[in-house]
Amino acid sequence: MDTGRAVLIVDDDPSVLETMRVLLEGRAGFHVLTALGARGALRRLHSLERLDVLVVDVDVSDDRGAAICHEALQRHPDVALVAMSSDGSGRMVSPASAAFLPKPFGARELLAAIDEANRCALARREGVGAE
């Protein structure tokens, strides 16, 4: 599928991070990094040379998930964004170019959201929808 692509997962729940890491590495062949909370995510973003996909709980660390998305886009303009949320508010605070993934979700939904995020990132790179 997406062998070797670098994915950063950000959430406040260590068990969510581990479950998603195992799934994406084992089933989809991604190279997965995780960050617990906003601080960890920002540290990771500042140290990464390459980032293909960011999967972030937009409710993480006092709703700093949207800021993490914006920082990722600044440092990695081609990144595919997946915004997760346990309620519908995440859809409103995430960037327009992010795929939205409501919690809870299964493996199929996660992989579909990453595919959608890749399509959004491609459209952003090609200027589709730009004024």
Side-chain angles (χ1 to χ4, degrees):
M1 187 178 203
D2 284 300
T3 305
R5 292 179 48 107
V7 178
L8 174 60
I9 305 168
V10 182
D11 201 292
D12 281 333
D13 185 338
S15 64
V16 169
L17 292 174
E18 182 61 13
T19 300
M20 291 176 65
R21 184 192 64 75
V22 168
L23 169 76
L24 292 176
E25 285 180 349
R27 192 182 273 189
F30 286 101
H31 171 70
V32 178
L33 300 166
T34 61
L36 186 62
R39 254 191 210 148
L42 293 172
R43 273 196 306 274
R44 285 277 193 182
L45 284 173
H46 288 250
S47 67
L48 289 174
E49 289 183 30
R50 175 179 164 213
L51 180 61
D52 299 303
V53 181
L54 172 66
V55 181
V56 60
D57 184 340
V58 292
D59 303 323
V60 74
S61 302
D62 298 325
D63 298 326
R64 291 184 55 203
I68 294 166
C69 289
H70 292 293
E71 181 70 19
L73 284 169
Q74 289 294 314
R75 295 186 166 278
H76 306 278
D78 294 335
V79 68
L81 300 172
V82 177
M84 304 182 289
S85 179
S86 57
D87 62 25
S89 67
R91 189 180 304 267
M92 290 183 253
V93 298
S94 59
S97 60
F100 181 71
L101 181 62
K103 286 181 168 181
F105 54 84
R108 185 176 306 152
E109 292 87 3
L110 173 59
L111 295 172
I114 291 173
D115 286 343
E116 175 63 21
N118 284 321
R119 284 190 293 277
C120 289
L122 179 61
R124 190 174 62 240
R125 282 192 297 274
E126 293 177 351
V128 174
E131 295 179 32

